[in-house]
Amino acid sequence: ALRQAVYGVSFANYLRSLSGSDDSLEELVTKMVGHFSEGRSGGFFFLSADDRYILKTVDRGEQKQLLQMLPRYYEYMRRSPRTLLARFYGCYAITMHGQCRAFMAMENLFHGSATPDETYDLKGSWIDRSASQLRKTGLDLDMTRRLHLSPRVCAELKEQCAADAEMLR
């Protein structure tokens, strides 16, 4: 599995991170219900018990697309340790109260690091991509600060972005 073979995380450690104990996946989800936030797209976000993972609800189309690209994604992640793509750890579906919800687990980039001074939710669009003053996370049009990178770092970043974009085609 990708989680163990590429990321080096055993299922037991993964489950413990999600739930804070050795509970089953079903018990974990039951604990998480009610501890979520809603994104602008209507998706719900959960954090694992230790904040290592973000669980996000996805619609059936997103779930299907993720599962279809999984073999190619696995191979790419295995041979591209410097990728900037999100690291997915699982894709699940659960039925509660007659409704089926799909969700995926991905690495929380901010776990174990200093709290960032600024955060942005970048989508690569200019349409409706400016945040209100009340929102902590900026959007595409809010990022006006220039980044000063050395020519070497800039070239490496461009090369990695191009490789990542090619993988997603």
Side-chain angles (χ1 to χ4, degrees), residues 16-165:
R16 200 171 300 110
S17 287
L18 292 177
S19 67
S21 68
D22 291 319
D23 293 339
S24 71
L25 195 56
E26 185 176 339
E27 291 167 330
L28 156 69
V29 172
T30 301
K31 282 182 183 179
M32 292 175 132
V33 172
H35 296 87
F36 60 82
S37 65
E38 187 173 0
R40 283 182 77 187
S41 66
F44 294 103
F45 294 87
F46 305 81
L47 281 174
S48 64
D50 64 2
D51 294 340
R52 284 184 188 275
Y53 305 104
I54 297 171
L55 290 89
K56 177 187 182 285
T57 59
V58 293
D59 64 36
R60 286 283 193 209
E62 290 171 310
Q63 181 188 35
K64 183 179 177 182
Q65 187 174 22
L66 181 61
L67 293 174
Q68 283 177 341
M69 69 180 265
L70 188 57
R72 200 172 78 241
Y73 175 83
Y74 174 93
E75 196 52 41
Y76 185 77
M77 297 304 278
R78 189 181 66 72
R79 67 176 203 281
S80 304
R82 296 188 62 170
T83 181
L84 301 172
L85 295 178
R87 286 175 167 73
F88 294 110
Y89 283 74
C91 188
Y92 312 96
I94 187 166
T95 302
M96 292 176 59
H97 309 293
Q99 295 219 348
C100 186
R101 284 282 186 180
F103 60 97
M104 62 182 174
M106 61 187 130
E107 180 179 43
N108 179 1
L109 295 176
F110 299 123
H111 173 73
S113 62
T115 304
D117 294 325
E118 300 175 19
T119 57
Y120 296 89
D121 179 7
L122 303 176
K123 305 275 194 233
S125 174
W126 297 297
I127 301 169
D128 196 28
R129 298 298 298 162
S130 185
S132 72
Q133 293 296 329
L134 302 175
R135 189 179 157 121
K136 292 182 200 174
T137 302
L139 301 177
D140 296 65
L141 294 176
D142 302 316
M143 188 171 179
T144 57
R145 184 187 317 257
R146 287 188 177 267
L147 299 177
H148 299 281
L149 305 172
S150 71
R152 182 188 58 78
V153 170
C154 188
E156 288 174 1
L157 186 58
K158 284 180 181 179
E159 184 179 322
Q160 189 62 60
C161 286
D164 288 352

